Amino acid sequence: MKAPIKFFYLLIGVLFFIFTSCQDEVIEETPPNEQEIIQPESNLANLMRYTSANEGSVDDLLDNSDCFTVNLPVTIVANGITLTIETLEDLNVLQAIFDTSNTDDDDLEFLFPITIILNDYTEVNIETVDALEDFIETCISDEDIIECADFVYPISFSIYNTNFQVIDTVVIDNDYELYIFLEGLDDDDNGVVLVSLNFPVTIAYANGSTVEVNNNQALEEAINAADENCEDDCDLEDVLENLQECHWVIAAHNVNNDF
C-alpha cells in the first residue's frame, strides 16, 4: 500500500508545481509602456472623445442644428408629403422632395413627440414644435467636435490592475461605446487603474483616405490631421485651370460681344 501513497503525494507535488508556475506567469506579465497608458483628461483622451462625440451636423437637413441629432426613426411631413426617416440615407429622399418643389420655401413638420440626442449622447424628449424651436435657439454646439476623422471599429482596450495584470479586455464597436468608455475613465469607482489601447488602430478621414497607427503619439497626430483631410468642396487648382482655359460653353450672349 505504500507505493500508491507515495505516487499520490508525488502527483500532488507535480500539480502544485504546475499551478504555482502558472500563477507566476500571470504576475510577471510585462507591464504596459507608460507612454501607452491613456490617462483621464489627457490630450489624447480628449481628442478621442471629440472624435467619437455625436455629430449634430449629420442631419442638419432635418433639424438645422449642430447641437443634436434627431433619434431615428422619426415621421415627418415635408411639403405636404408624409414619410418616415429611418436612417441617415433616407435624408436623400427628403432632399429630393425639396428639390422638386417649385418654391424656395420648403416646409418640414415633425410628428411629435420626438427624441433628440446631444453631442454628449444625452437624450432629451421634445413634445412640441415650440419646445424644439426654443431648444434650437438656446443650445450651443461643442466646437471641439472632430467631424473629419472616424475610428474604424472594432477597437479594444486592455485594462490592468496595480500589479500590471490584465484584468479585462473591452471591445468597442461604435462611437457611442467609445465616448461612454472614455467618460468612465474619470470614475474612481469603476476599478480601472491603467488602460491602454490595443494597436494597430485605423483612422478614416472624410476625404476617403485612411491611416493605420501603432502607438499613442501616432494616434494623436492622426486625429490632429483631421482638418487637413476633410472633403474639399472646391479645388483651387481646378478653379485656376477653368479660369485660364475657359472650359465653359457660351450658350447665349448679347449682340455687341460684351459677354
Side-chain angles (χ1 to χ4, degrees):
M1 298 296 293
K2 293 184 179 180
I5 294 176
K6 290 182 178 180
F7 176 79
F8 173 78
Y9 284 115
L10 178 61
L11 178 61
I12 292 298
V14 171
L15 292 176
F16 179 79
F17 176 79
I18 294 175
F19 177 78
T20 54
S21 297
C22 293
Q23 287 294 96
D24 290 340
E25 288 178 6
V26 173
I27 294 175
E28 294 174 0
E29 180 162 349
T30 303
N33 188 318
E34 185 176 350
Q35 295 180 345
E36 298 307 312
I37 296 301
I38 299 178
Q39 301 291 348
E41 295 301 328
S42 64
N43 187 55
L44 178 58
N46 288 332
L47 286 174
M48 295 176 69
R49 187 183 292 110
Y50 298 145
T51 303
S52 59
N54 186 40
E55 298 178 18
S57 62
V58 296
D59 67 345
D60 280 359
L61 183 65
L62 195 61
D63 55 37
N64 196 32
S65 175
D66 291 346
C67 295
F68 59 85
T69 57
V70 176
N71 190 37
L72 303 180
V74 65
T75 301
I76 62 174
V77 180
N79 290 349
I81 301 175
T82 301
L83 69 155
T84 298
I85 304 296
E86 296 185 353
T87 67
L88 290 177
E89 286 72 21
D90 291 340
L91 293 179
N92 293 327
V93 179
L94 176 59
Q95 184 64 64
I97 293 174
F98 288 162
D99 290 343
T100 57
S101 174
N102 295 324
T103 67
D104 293 332
D105 297 326
D106 292 311
D107 180 66
L108 188 151
E109 300 177 6
F110 289 99
L111 296 188
F112 293 94
I114 65 173
T115 300
I116 61 176
I117 306 174
L118 308 186
N119 297 145
D120 64 356
Y121 293 98
T122 299
E123 295 188 0
V124 179
N125 293 324
I126 303 294
E127 301 288 340
T128 65
V129 62
D130 290 337
L132 179 62
E133 292 176 351
D134 290 343
F135 195 95
I136 293 175
E137 289 179 3
T138 58
C139 72
I140 301 176
S141 179
D142 189 344
E143 296 181 355
D144 291 322
I145 290 178
I146 298 173
E147 298 183 348
C148 294
D150 291 294
F151 285 91
V152 177
Y153 297 100
I155 62 176
S156 66
F157 293 86
S158 291
I159 301 177
Y160 303 82
N161 62 15
T162 53
N163 292 325
F164 299 107
Q165 295 172 302
V166 176
I167 59 176
D168 199 5
T169 299
V170 177
V171 178
I172 304 294
D173 290 314
N174 52 56
D175 283 343
Y176 170 77
E177 292 180 5
L178 177 57
Y179 191 93
I180 297 303
F181 177 81
L182 294 171
E183 288 285 291
L185 295 182
D186 298 329
D187 185 1
D188 294 334
D189 296 330
N190 62 7
V192 175
V193 178
L194 299 172
V195 172
S196 66
L197 185 58
N198 295 323
F199 293 99
V201 169
T202 299
I203 295 294
Y205 295 119
N207 63 7
S209 63
T210 61
V211 58
E212 183 178 280
V213 296
N214 292 284
N215 56 60
N216 284 0
Q217 181 178 352
L219 176 59
E220 189 170 332
E221 293 172 355
I223 296 177
N224 282 327
D227 289 341
E228 303 171 9
N229 291 277
C230 286
E231 294 179 323
D232 293 327
D233 295 328
C234 183
D235 186 271
L236 180 59
E237 293 183 0
D238 290 342
V239 172
L240 291 177
E241 180 182 354
N242 287 335
L243 290 174
Q244 294 171 358
E245 301 297 332
C246 192
H247 289 256
W248 294 285
V249 176
I250 306 300
H253 59 85
N254 51 28
V255 294
N256 60 8
N257 291 327
D258 184 15
F259 298 113

